[in-house]
Structure formats: structure tokens, C-alpha cells
Amino acid sequence: MVEATQTKSKESKNIKIVKDATCTFCGCVCDDMELTVDLDEHRITKAKKACVLGRAWFYEHTIDDRPVVLIDGKEATLEEGIETAAQVLVDAKFPITYGLSDSTCEAQRVAVEIMDIINGSIDTTTSVCHGPSGMAFQGVGESTATLGEIKNRADLVIYWGGNPAESHPRHFTKYAVTPKGMYIPNGKKDRTVVLVDVRRTPSTPLADIFVLIKPGKDFEVLWALRALVKGKKISENIEKDTGVSREVLDDLVSRMKNAQYGVLFFGMGLTMTRGRHFNSGAILSLASDLNEFTHFVAKPVRGHGNVTGADNVVSWQTGYPFGVNFNRGFPRFNPGEFTTTDVFSRGEADAAMIIASDPASNFPKKAIEHMKKIPIISLDAKDTCTSKIAKVRFAVATYGINTGGTVYRMDDVPISLRPAFDSPFPSDQEVLEGIRNRVKELLKGDKARLAA
Amino acid sequence: MVETMILVPGRSQKQGTSLVAGKLKDEYKRVTSTAELNEKDMRRLKLKDGDKIRLKSDVGQTVVTCIAKKDADLPSGMIFIPYGPPSSELMAHDTAGSGMPLSKHMEVKVSKV
Amino acid sequence: MSSELKIVNGRVYDPKNNIDGKVQDVYVRDGKIVESVSSSATKIDAHGMVVMPGAVDIHCHIAGPKVNLARKLQPEDHRLDVHPKTAVTRSGTGGVVPSTFATGYRYATMGYTTAMEAAVPPITARHVLEELDDTPVIDKGFYVLLGNNAFLYKLLKEGRKKEFQEAVAWWIDSVHGYALKLVNPGSDELWKGRKNANITDVNEKIDHYDITPMHVIESFIEAADELGLPHPPHIHCNNLGHSGNISTTLDTMKAAEGRRVHMAHIQFHSFGGEINKNAVSGVKPIIDFINANENITTDVGQVMFGKATAMTADAPLAWMLRNVKFNKWVNADTECESGCGIIPFSYQESVYTHALQWAMGLELFLMSKDPWRVLLSTDHPNGGSFMSYPKLIKLLMDSAYRKEAIEHVNQKAINKTVLRELTREYTLSEIAIITRAGPARALGLENKGHLGRGADADITIYTEEEDKEQMFNAPRYVIKDGVLVIKDHEFATDHKGKILHCKPGYNADIADEIEPFFEDYYSVKFSNYAVSEDYLHHHEVIPTHPKDS
Ligand code: SF4
Ligand SMILES: [Zn+2]
């Protein structure tokens, strides 16, 4: 149900307003956008309530003049693209699908299905963002909450290893810091905000307390906090080792224990640095421990629009959140083995389908070198380094702007998208369904492969 | 002069907006090849805003432009750079069995070009 | 072209139609049971076999955010129990919280063709529907968690009964739910707002609202009655798992005053003894009350030894369990709607409380006078996996086997029950009631749980065997919507079941009341909250019978 009104403006332009549309640029997945759409120009001219990143997202996604499909750099039809992609996948011994964080759940579901059918691997950008937090979750669990609960109740808000002002600009204003909530009648005045990071960032001024920590020492500080919460001794060299003084730690501990409802948000400053999943495990455990004194939750601040959806889809279909391999006819999970960086760096996959992500620019060099040697199928709304080296390159519609579908916010709340205008390009779901159907046909005689 | 420092790539607003505009466009390339250094470190290395520096890790090297940050904002010994192809160039592929390369804590050798 | 099936020579158990093991034929056309079929119908010779309607699980946890968290939490279980694909079915992983595909297929291989997800915070309904769409073969619906809903509490506090009922209906309709679910009413506010506290008494005031859990319970029972929902409120009482909780349970049942109510996993609410002391069985007063009051239905929530997963909207309960072993624990607060706790768990024969719970569940079954109202469940995966149903059936049908089993568990616990004296054996017909006809009736699913004309052609055919666990473990044939899904124990085809949901009527003006509350206290836009019908795919609306029409 898209509530849309079409009116003719002065320039006799074909203008449409889309209310309560959703921005999928970052994990905040703000669903309160008011979009002004110029239907003649196929572009969004105004995005009320969007932050600077959101505005860029909406304004820049116009209809590019580029072919729907390129095969080996030559223009081709959608059917030809699907045929070649299906052939590549079926011929491969170790195909892998990677990306998916900027796709709808509907498309993600089909992507997993294709890998199940052809005994391939499925991995998402989670493996290089909060994959370590997923592993930590498997080890220690998590006390968490939806963002509305934090808006309504959190009187102590701690950000660790993140810079939301630049990565998730409305995290402060829409959910966690400034908004008034049910038991936070005065908004920010009723909350204490703490920021822990290795450098000052544009997020720092918002904090009541800023804790500067030496790079790579998060685990030590988190572990010290856990010990202090439990009334245990910590190293006397803590300040020398970590840059954080005993006084600061004691103050934090007392604030945490005495909060009414506390929250620890953490970013990739924890997962991408020394300690990785141990850092995530430490912060999740700290939040759990604190429940012996008060109510406390923790939450990774997830990045891309629907990376949380990708985690959910891969988990419900396979039991594991990322880095899943179907080679034996059933899902197996092993980070380091089936995660894409490792697969490529070892020179292993012999074909790859990359959906809505750009490993050819983000991955380590050695991984990128391997990508250049194998046939790549790329689905993306924009040209990227990855689409440049693809054997089959599909130009697809942009989710949330040209297509509907489901997206999960960083707190697992599912939201339906309201598209603004049509695209001449197919959605990634449509392309993937085409590939799936063709793959099934090609494998028809191959009972052994179908049944693993 | 060559010094060893810790490179911390991360997101920035400009990196975000230029990314949506297009990763193959000049603005994104410019943003992701501009590194922030501590002002004192810059002085010591005889660098001024806009100078080119070479960053070298065990796996690769890249040349980027540097700008100074106040001592209070960016501690000495650290370099910040928005994620992008130059930071990937320096990233080691070993994930220590986690799937995650160490992308926010890289030891690099810094020298003026 | 119509598809026809003819099942001949089988011994049919169809309690709703008073057929108790009679050899007779069953006919199917276009997914429904019919009186006769043409001579070209596909024939299944069920000689020496038992024919029953497909089983219906009235209470389980199989889809949605809490289930998915529990799945993600336990890779160690998936590794040990893989679910390979076949030429016609998808792959997956098992353990007590299987992947969606494995869940659907495994239910089918147990002879189950319908299952109800018992606890869904409405804001997560899309997620639940997406997972259910990936849960093959079975039909499914879900119960909407409304018993701790902040907006509804506000209406109750203001004494606006009519608006309360409208809002309840709006919620079910907006998320395509099937029934109302109450879990530990009142506890969410204390858990989230008073540093992990819990409700201890049905008559204590809930912080900020000036109402009591009892008030909440009565209001929902009345609302369901007025709206004419096919299934009454499905209640998980206060004080679950606490010794001496029978008084709370009895108070809750009495609150119904003759109106229909379903008591979820009653075993967990049947502890005698004193509060905070060692628990003993309190089954007798509970089952006596249920036996005497026809308005009450219940599912037992049997505990089975082995791996389980506590997975509940009752966050304080999960916290209590967490503090036993300090193993990994999940808590998940949902704004204005629910709490949630998850703990991997294992029931052990040697542990007093575990053995006591196991015995209490069996007491409930064996002391029940009306199988139509005391139904089979393990509160999957809380008391154990749905995969253990065949073993539970054997425990009920085979007293020698049961006697043997009793000897292997904590004897102190057994001594606090009367289990040894109970020699009753369930008949096949009674099993058909507690797994088929009974749950279908309690759910108000008129086309399920029987094989009369017009019923959904969901049929299971078992080879009759002495060992009932073996028999119920692997039906020879499973027919879903008239389609032969399992043939000779193997999947012959994949199949998609449907979503069962209700559309109670209400005055649409209530939305104007709810919207401002959303703007203030939710983090999603009101207009983005209601779930579009696109998420339903194949579905069926089960009619309501409102009182005033
Ligand atoms: S915070 Fe994120 S989701 Fe919200 S408008 Fe900005 S970029 Fe979009
Ligand atoms: Zn339950």
C-alpha cells in the first residue's frame, strides 16, 4: 500500500509524494522519509527527514544510462545474461555467492536457494563487518533490545568503537540520544551519553563523557570493566596499557551499575581490530553481567541497509548466519574456511556471484587477484570495481527506491519498502529467480547433484 | 624519514556520500586517498597539508595525500583514512580463522614522497 | 484436471466422526475429503496400516525472531544433526531448533500437517511470515503476544473496555495473527523498568498502570469471547516454573468463569509445595479443575529428557534459568510489546526437578478425563523437540515401557508424584484425539483433525507396529492438501502449506487512537506497521463468530 498522491506542479511536472518511505543506506533503516519524486525525470528531488547520507542515497540513485546486461563487456539481453550466469554457476565446482547486504530479503532468499541447489557457498558482507559479533553471539549470547525500547527507557547510552555521526547520522536523533521516550520525558537531558574510541570524531561532541583508548586495547578495557563490575582486582598498569585510568573505569562501572536501563552500542572499531570476536564477546558479556545489578542491553550498530536481513535469512534457511557451504548437500559453517576473503585469498572458488557489494575494491589484494582469474557474475545498481571485472554484469533496480520488499533494521525489526519510481532495470530478485529457474533446468538430468 | 604508525581506516560522511555517487568517480577516489595524521607527527616528518605520503604494509603500498589533525583529536602515532581501495591495498588477507581481515589496525611505514 | 486419491483397506481412526479403527476407504479430490471418487483415482492400498488425519500442533515455537536467535545461538546442535537435501527438498540443519526447511519437512515426517507458532511480538510479524513461507509442507498460523502491550494496558487503565476490544481486533487483523497470546502478564514492565523484577502475584499492581495481571487476563478472555475468535486466549500464566505456582494457575483458570480459555504448557504451571522451597507435584488439583470445567483446554508441555531450548516471552523466567548455570543467555526486549529470553537447556533423568517435571507431565496425561481438552505438546523446543513426540506417544500407550522408564529417573522426584500408580494406557483413538481431533477442535479449525466430508485432505498413514515410537516416527504416507508428499517413507515432492489467520471485525476509527501512541513510543511509523497481504502467499481466513451478530 503506497500512499501516493500525484499532482502537477507549476512547471507542469509529474510530481509524486511518497510518505513514510524507508532509507536503506545504513542500518538505521529510517522509515519516516517523505520523498518528492519527479516522475518525468525519474529522480527523487527531495527527501524530507533524510540525513546527509540518506539524501545522497536518494538523490544519486537515478536511472543510469547503461545496458541491463554486459557479457564479457558486450551488451546482451536479460535472457542471455541469465543463461550465461546459469551456465557459469552450473559448470563451477566451487561457486560462491557473496554480498547481499543491499538487497531485499526476498532476493536474499533466492540467492541462498541457488547455492543450495548447486552445492555452492553463501556468504554476506557480515563476514567483514559484524561477523565476529555473530561468532561471539554463538559463544555467549546477547542481551538486546529494539531501538524503540532504548528510546523509551535508556538513561545510560554508551557507544564503543563507532562514529554514528558519520556512519549512522540519525542513530542519535531518531533512536538513542535526543528523542523523548515513555520514561525519558526530557530526551537527552535524561540520559548520560558515553563515547569510547581511539580518536575524536564528529560524534564526540555529543558525549557527556569521552573515553580515549589506545588502539587495539579494547579487550583489555572491557575485561577490566567486567572484573570491576564483579568486584574483582584489575592490573595496576591498566592506564599505561590502555590509556584509560582507574578513575575513569570506576566511574563508568558505577554509572553502569546504577543506571535504570543501560545500553552498550558497539561498532566495527571492535570487530575489525585486534581481538575481533573476543572484543565482541567481551562487550556482550559485560552487558549480560550487568543484568545482575540492573537492566542492560548491548547492540552492534550494523552497517548496510539490510545486512541484518541477510543474517536472518541465511540463519533461518541454514542455521548459521554467514560463511555457509553446501558442498556436501547440507549447510556447514566455518568462518575462516567458508568466508569469502579466505576462499578468494586461498585461490579456491572457481566462480563467484557478487550481489550488491564491491569486494574487488574492499577486499585484501590477494583476494582481489583471485577474483580477476575467475568468472564473476555481478548484480549491482551502480558500476563498481567488481562489476568492471565481471563476466556477466547485471544492472539492477535500487531496492527501496525502485523496488519494494523487506528490510531488517539493525535491531531485527522488519520493514516493508515503498518504492518511489519505476526502473527499466529488473530487481535483483527477478534476476536471481531467472538464474535459479535456469539452473534447475540445466541440472534436471543430474539427480546426483540435486540430491547431493 | 620513515616511521611506523597504526593505520585505522573507517567511515566518514564524505566517504559515504561519494560512495553512493559512484565508486568509480573522482570524488570517491579523492576522499579515500586522503589520510589524517597527528599535527605533531606531521611536523616531525616535515609534512604539510596536501603533501603526498607513501604508506607501506607487509602486503602492499599506496600513496595518499595527508592533512593534519589536532593532537587532541587524533593521538600521535595514528593515521585515519576513509575506507576505500587505498586502504584495501594495505590490508593483509589473513583472518586468523575468523573471516575478518584486520582492517582497522594496520601497521604501516610512513614516508614522504 | 482434478486430482483424486483413494485410500483403501486401512484401519481408520477419525474420532470426530466416531470412527475407531474401522476398515474403510477414504476419498480425496482437489485437496479435500469427499464421499467418492472416479475409477481413475490414484489408489493407495493401506492394508495393515493405520489411517489418521494429519496431526495438529497447538503450541510450538518454530518461526520468528526468537526462534532465529535460538538457531543462531546453537551451531553446536546443527553440526551434529544435518539435514541433507533430496532431489525434491531443500537442505537444512536440525538440532532442537532446526532451520525452517528442516522444521517443515521433519514435522511432515512425524505425520504433522499443521503447527501453530505460539508467541509472536506483533512488530515482528513480517519476519514470522517470511520464515513460515520458508517452512514447507505444513499449514501454520501464529499467536500474537498482546498480554504485555503498553497501548492496551493504557486503555485498560483508563477503563475503556470497548476500545480495548477494538484495538485487540485491530492488532490481530493488522499482523494476520490467529489467536491472542498472554505471557506472564504484567511482567514486562517490571523486567524492563524495575531492574529485572518479576510479577509474583496475579493481584499485584503493575507499575505505572494501576491494573493487575488478573485484570489483564479477564479483559482478554472477555475480548476473545466478544470477538468470537476461533481459539480463546492462549495463556502462559504468571509464576511459571516456581514451586507452589498452582494457586496462580487455579486463579487464572477461575477467572474465565465458564468462558473458553486455553492454558499453555500446563505442566510448567502445576508445581505444588511452598514458594521458594523444593517443588513437588501439584498436578492433582490442576487436572481435577480442568476435568471438571469444560471451558478449559490445555496442552501439557511435556518435558522429554535430552536437549531442549528455553525460548520464551517470559524474560524473567529465562533469567532465572540463566542464573543456574551461567551459560550463554539471550534477552531481547521488544518496544511496547514483549520481552524474550533464550537458554540452551538439557533435561536430565538424574536431576530432581527435571524428573519431577517429566513425571508431572505424564500425570497430567494419565489423569485427564477428557482427551479432547488435554492435548499433546512439549512446548517445542522448551520441554524438548517435536521430534520426541513419538517417544511420548509410546510412554502414553505402553505402560510396561513407562514403568521401565520410571525406574531410570530420579526416584525422589517420582516419589513426589503418583505416577507409579497410574496404569492407564492410551488407545490409538485417544492418541488421535490428543494429536489431531482435540487440537483442531480447540483451535476452531473445522476442516482439520478429521476425515469427514469437506475436511482438508491432510492424512497420515502408518504401518501398524507393536512399538508405537517406531510406528509414529515414520508414517509410510503423508498426504497434504490431497498431495502425496511422503510415499514409502520418502519425500515424493515438495509442498507449500498455507497461513491460517483471522480477520476479526472492528471499528476502523480505533486506528486514529493508536497512531499518536506510535508516534510517541514506537520506533517505526504507524503506517509501516500493519503487514500487507503480500506476506501471506497461500492463506486461509478462519471465520470468527462475534457475539453481537
Ligand atoms: S540515518 Fe541511515 S537510514 Fe536514516 S536517513 Fe540517514 S542514512 Fe538513511
Ligand atoms: Zn511456548
Side-chain angles (χ1 to χ4, degrees):
Chain A
M1 282 181 296
V2 180
E3 285 168 41
T5 49
Q6 258 169 257
T7 49
K8 297 263 175 187
S9 79
K10 272 179 232 145
E11 304 88 44
S12 88
K13 283 220 163 162
N14 202 359
I15 300 291
K16 168 173 124 173
I17 305 288
V18 184
K19 283 209 176 113
D20 300 338
T22 294
C23 174
T24 54
F25 180 75
C26 85
C28 284
V29 191
C30 302
D31 72 333
D32 57 350
M33 304 286 118
E34 186 178 315
L35 304 178
T36 306
V37 190
D38 184 329
L39 291 171
D40 296 330
E41 295 281 316
H42 303 286
R43 61 161 65 237
I44 292 162
T45 55
K46 205 167 159 200
K48 241 197 230 168
K49 295 219 184 137
C51 72
V52 53
L53 295 175
R55 285 199 301 275
W57 170 259
F58 285 117
Y59 299 165
E60 295 289 353
H61 279 107
T62 51
I63 301 301
D64 292 349
D65 182 20
R66 57 180 190 142
V68 181
V69 176
L70 291 177
I71 302 175
D72 295 319
K74 287 193 213 63
E75 214 174 313
T77 64
L78 182 59
E79 290 66 37
E80 288 162 345
I82 286 173
E83 179 65 32
T84 311
Q87 293 281 359
V88 165
L89 290 172
V90 167
D91 289 346
K93 286 208 174 67
F94 186 2
I96 186 165
T97 291
Y98 173 78
L100 292 169
S101 50
D102 277 323
S103 299
T104 61
C105 291
E106 287 78 357
Q108 292 163 350
R109 287 163 66 184
V110 185
V112 183
E113 182 179 6
I114 295 172
M115 291 301 108
D116 191 3
I117 294 170
I118 62 173
N119 300 354
S121 275
I122 187 100
D123 188 30
T124 73
T125 59
T126 283
S127 66
V128 295
C129 78
H130 273 286
S133 306
M135 290 160 69
F137 172 84
Q138 292 173 335
V140 301
E142 169 181 71
S143 172
T144 189
T146 64
L147 292 168
E149 201 74 84
I150 286 152
K151 161 172 121 167
N152 283 334
R153 296 179 189 271
D155 58 341
L156 176 64
V157 182
I158 304 174
Y159 287 93
W160 198 302
N163 175 15
E166 292 197 87
S167 61
H168 298 75
R170 295 184 77 213
H171 201 270
F172 294 147
T173 51
K174 189 168 190 286
Y175 302 117
V177 176
T178 43
K180 294 176 180 160
M182 201 176 282
Y183 302 106
I184 304 288
N186 307 306
K188 184 169 188 292
K189 270 192 223 127
D190 293 337
R191 311 186 206 258
T192 303
V193 181
V194 181
L195 215 96
V196 185
D197 208 344
V198 294
R199 60 180 184 117
R200 281 185 181 270
T201 66
S203 300
T204 318
L206 190 98
D208 300 300
I209 299 169
F210 176 66
V211 180
L212 187 72
I213 179 174
K214 280 191 190 168
K217 294 295 174 188
D218 304 271
F219 182 84
E220 284 77 356
V221 177
L222 287 164
W223 219 248
L225 287 170
R226 285 194 74 195
L228 292 172
V229 164
K230 289 172 184 267
K232 302 218 163 108
K233 275 209 212 126
I234 62 163
S235 159
E236 296 189 345
N237 297 327
I238 191 78
E239 182 164 6
K240 204 170 123 245
D241 293 344
T242 67
V244 186
S245 72
R246 176 67 196 253
E247 292 67 46
V248 168
L249 293 173
D250 284 338
D251 176 58
L252 264 184
V253 167
S254 116
R255 286 178 193 278
M256 291 192 293
K257 282 176 147 178
N258 292 309
Q260 189 69 28
Y261 188 114
V263 56
L264 275 158
F265 286 113
F266 59 106
M268 295 193 294
L270 277 187
T271 59
M272 286 183 165
T273 190
R274 174 184 168 269
R276 289 179 271 223
H277 44 294
F278 289 91
N279 297 338
S280 302
I283 202 164
L284 293 174
S285 300
L286 174 61
S288 295
D289 292 349
L290 283 161
N291 278 282
E292 288 170 25
F293 305 92
T294 183
H295 197 82
F296 226 98
V297 299
K299 175 142 273 332
V301 180
R302 301 302 309 268
H304 291 284
N306 198 26
V307 68
T308 306
D311 276 24
N312 273 299
V313 167
V314 178
S315 294
W316 84 56
Q317 292 209 356
T318 73
Y320 310 113
F322 63 93
V324 176
N325 172 274
F326 290 104
N327 212 254
R328 295 199 181 151
F330 52 81
R332 285 183 301 155
F333 168 71
N334 196 12
E337 184 179 8
F338 302 130
T339 33
T340 316
T341 307
D342 305 271
V343 169
F344 287 161
S345 298
R346 284 195 307 264
E348 282 185 351
D350 58 352
M353 181 154 70
I354 311 291
I355 303 165
S357 67
D358 188 17
S361 94
N362 306 334
F363 271 13
K365 232 168 53 172
K366 192 143 181 234
I368 298 172
E369 275 161 22
H370 181 68
M371 288 181 73
K372 290 180 179 156
K373 293 186 201 143
I374 59 171
I376 304 275
I377 300 156
S378 132
L379 285 75
D380 214 311
K382 289 263 173 197
D383 275 326
T384 63
C385 299
T386 305
S387 73
K388 282 280 171 214
I389 60 165
K391 178 175 177 62
V392 190
R393 192 282 273 139
F394 294 93
V396 295
T398 306
Y399 78 139
I401 292 180
N402 313 124
T403 80
T406 315
V407 162
Y408 287 52
R409 214 165 59 185
M410 66 172 74
D411 57 350
D412 291 319
V413 170
I415 290 170
S416 302
L417 302 175
R418 297 168 186 270
F421 59 92
D422 288 339
S423 163
F425 301 118
S427 67
D428 42 12
Q429 183 188 352
E430 284 161 345
V431 174
L432 289 166
E433 282 170 353
I435 295 174
R436 176 201 56 200
N437 296 345
R438 188 61 191 135
V439 161
K440 273 190 175 169
E441 279 167 25
L442 290 171
L443 284 177
K444 227 170 213 150
D446 195 350
K447 272 259 152 62
R449 180 117 168 238
L450 278 176
Chain B
M1 215 178 351
V2 181
E3 275 196 27
T4 303
M5 295 192 180
I6 301 291
L7 176 71
V8 178
R11 283 193 219 283
S12 79
Q13 200 177 77
K14 284 238 173 64
Q15 178 257 357
T17 52
S18 59
L19 180 148
V20 249
K23 282 186 141 184
L24 304 177
K25 295 204 173 131
D26 290 343
E27 174 67 0
Y28 180 73
K29 287 184 189 157
R30 193 187 63 73
V31 169
T32 56
S33 54
T34 305
E36 297 172 0
L37 271 75
N38 173 288
E39 52 186 0
K40 289 184 188 156
D41 292 350
M42 292 242 315
R43 251 177 273 146
R44 197 174 55 251
L45 290 163
K46 306 206 170 17
L47 291 166
K48 56 180 192 316
D49 279 9
D51 279 355
K52 299 264 186 241
I53 50 171
R54 183 182 312 279
L55 303 177
K56 210 170 163 219
S57 73
D58 287 346
V59 298
Q61 54 174 302
T62 186
V63 173
V64 297
T65 310
C66 65
I67 49 166
K69 277 271 156 182
K70 286 211 191 76
D71 190 43
D73 291 348
L74 187 66
S76 170
M78 272 179 68
I79 306 174
F80 173 79
I81 189 168
Y83 291 126
S87 64
S88 301
E89 182 67 26
L90 302 167
M91 201 188 339
H93 66 270
D94 180 31
T95 74
S98 71
M100 166 72 83
L102 268 193
S103 25
K104 262 190 188 290
H105 189 107
M106 305 179 198
E107 254 186 42
V108 290
K109 296 215 162 59
V110 188
S111 56
K112 190 171 172 176
V113 183
Chain C
M1 206 184 73
S2 65
S3 66
E4 294 186 326
L5 263 182
K6 175 157 120 183
I7 302 158
V8 300
N9 300 327
R11 285 217 292 131
V12 176
Y13 289 86
D14 180 9
K16 184 178 178 189
N17 297 302
N18 296 315
I19 297 164
D20 185 7
K22 192 171 142 209
V23 175
Q24 66 175 53
D25 299 346
V26 177
Y27 305 113
V28 173
R29 185 185 311 116
D30 296 334
K32 294 280 179 189
I33 307 282
V34 292
E35 299 270 85
S36 64
V37 286
S38 69
S39 55
S40 62
T42 309
K43 192 166 105 181
I44 295 174
D45 189 352
H47 181 79
M49 297 180 206
V50 164
V51 180
M52 284 188 184
V56 178
D57 197 337
I58 195 169
H59 186 114
C60 59
H61 302 275
I62 55 172
K66 68 174 185 314
V67 178
N68 218 22
L69 285 171
R71 248 182 221 124
K72 276 192 245 186
L73 187 66
Q74 302 177 84
E76 60 273 26
D77 277 12
H78 304 320
R79 281 206 169 98
L80 299 175
D81 183 17
V82 298
H83 191 98
K85 66 179 174 178
T86 71
V88 292
T89 58
R90 292 282 302 273
S91 77
T93 49
V96 281
V97 191
S99 65
T100 53
F101 294 106
T103 298
Y105 298 135
R106 288 179 176 198
Y107 258 112
T109 58
M110 304 271 103
Y112 274 75
T113 49
T114 303
M116 298 306 241
E117 159 57 54
V120 171
I123 196 172
T124 70
R126 278 180 190 83
H127 181 169
V128 174
L129 287 163
E130 286 205 287
E131 281 199 24
L132 289 178
D133 191 45
D134 273 346
T135 306
V137 188
I138 57 175
D139 288 347
K140 52 253 155 173
F142 64 87
Y143 308 155
V144 188
L145 284 163
L146 291 179
N148 277 290
N149 183 295
F151 178 75
L152 294 174
Y153 274 20
K154 184 173 152 281
L155 291 177
L156 289 180
K157 180 184 177 181
E158 290 163 2
R160 299 166 67 194
K161 200 183 338 179
K162 190 157 179 316
E163 288 85 351
F164 170 81
Q165 289 175 3
E166 304 275 3
V168 165
W170 175 87
W171 242 294
I172 293 201
D173 182 44
S174 298
V175 303
H176 313 298
Y178 190 80
L180 306 173
K181 177 73 182 294
L182 277 62
V183 172
N184 193 1
S187 67
D188 267 19
E189 188 46 54
L190 277 72
W191 172 251
K192 298 169 183 171
R194 209 208 285 166
K195 302 192 171 184
N196 299 354
N198 193 8
I199 289 277
T200 53
D201 191 318
V202 281
N203 294 313
E204 83 183 72
K205 284 262 161 71
I206 301 165
D207 290 359
H208 307 295
Y209 289 105
D210 204 30
I211 52 171
T212 63
M214 186 50 84
H215 190 163
V216 174
I217 292 162
E218 286 165 352
S219 304
F220 276 99
I221 290 172
E222 189 176 347
D225 211 42
E226 293 288 329
L227 296 168
L229 297 176
H231 185 55
H234 201 97
I235 303 180
H236 161 147
C237 299
N238 302 99
N239 285 325
L240 185 151
H242 289 272
S243 49
N245 64 10
I246 48 172
S247 59
T248 303
T249 310
L250 287 166
D251 284 348
T252 305
M253 292 195 284
K254 283 174 196 158
E257 290 178 341
R259 291 165 300 190
R260 291 185 317 149
V261 65
H262 182 89
M263 305 296 288
H265 37 68
I266 193 81
Q267 174 272 127
F268 290 98
H269 305 275
S270 301
F271 288 109
E274 283 170 55
I275 291 160
N276 294 330
K277 295 262 172 64
N278 235 4
V280 298
S281 170
V283 161
K284 181 132 196 352
I286 296 288
I287 196 69
D288 283 351
F289 191 91
I290 294 171
N291 284 336
N293 289 276
E294 290 208 355
N295 59 314
I296 296 167
T297 53
T298 189
D299 61 275
V300 168
Q302 176 68 33
V303 151
M304 298 297 281
F305 296 116
K307 183 75 200 288
T309 300
M311 179 199 285
T312 175
D314 192 340
L317 167 74
W319 176 244
M320 183 178 87
L321 296 173
R322 181 261 185 191
N323 292 334
V324 176
K325 288 202 166 165
F326 298 94
N327 280 343
K328 53 188 176 184
W329 163 69
V330 173
N331 169 68
D333 302 337
T334 304
E335 60 205 65
C336 307
E337 296 186 347
S338 184
C340 165
I342 301 165
I343 297 271
F345 202 81
S346 177
Y347 286 99
Q348 293 158 30
E349 284 95 337
S350 57
V351 175
Y352 173 87
T353 327
H354 302 179
L356 180 72
Q357 286 188 266
W358 176 80
M360 282 162 56
L362 294 175
E363 281 186 310
L364 283 155
F365 278 116
L366 299 169
M367 289 155 77
S368 151
K369 294 224 167 88
D370 184 357
W372 289 86
R373 296 190 291 107
V374 180
L375 309 169
L376 185 141
S377 83
T378 57
D379 189 12
H380 162 84
N382 284 283
S385 165
F386 65 82
M387 299 289 284
S388 61
Y389 292 170
K391 187 181 206 127
L392 175 53
I393 289 172
K394 184 173 178 180
L395 282 167
L396 298 178
M397 292 190 74
D398 185 338
S399 64
Y401 172 70
R402 190 167 66 230
K403 200 165 166 221
E404 164 91 28
I406 290 170
E407 298 316 313
H408 289 102
V409 311
N410 186 306
Q411 295 300 299
K412 251 196 189 153
I414 296 298
N415 294 338
K416 293 279 191 284
T417 71
V418 295
L419 186 58
R420 277 208 195 84
E421 295 151 36
L422 304 171
T423 54
R424 174 177 176 190
E425 288 185 335
Y426 269 62
T427 64
L428 272 177
S429 182
E430 284 173 321
I431 293 298
I433 296 172
I434 63 172
T435 59
R436 276 112 168 133
R441 194 181 80 176
L443 286 165
L445 289 171
E446 288 176 5
N447 298 327
K448 301 276 183 206
H450 73 103
L451 297 173
R453 195 169 71 174
D456 292 345
D458 301 346
I459 308 166
T460 49
I461 305 174
Y462 300 95
T463 308
E464 197 159 3
E465 284 181 70
E466 199 48 48
D467 184 331
K468 294 300 182 280
E469 182 179 359
Q470 208 165 305
M471 171 174 164
F472 281 95
N473 235 327
R476 176 90 177 252
Y477 301 98
V478 175
I479 293 148
K480 178 75 188 69
D481 298 317
V483 177
L484 193 51
V485 176
I486 292 177
K487 187 180 172 190
D488 291 325
H489 307 295
E490 305 263 344
F491 276 91
T493 180
D494 209 341
H495 185 75
K496 225 170 194 178
K498 52 184 182 284
I499 300 290
L500 308 170
H501 65 111
C502 292
K503 278 188 151 315
Y506 57 91
N507 182 342
D509 291 346
I510 191 66
D512 300 337
E513 289 259 358
I514 305 173
E515 181 163 5
F517 186 88
F518 264 69
E519 300 310 320
D520 289 345
Y521 302 128
Y522 273 73
S523 61
V524 294
K525 277 289 200 180
F526 182 69
S527 67
N528 287 330
Y529 184 82
V531 180
S532 108
E533 294 219 346
D534 296 348
Y535 287 85
L536 292 175
H537 308 282
H538 196 33
H539 68 117
E540 182 178 341
V541 178
I542 305 301
T544 56
H545 301 285
K547 244 189 172 170
D548 58 8
S549 68

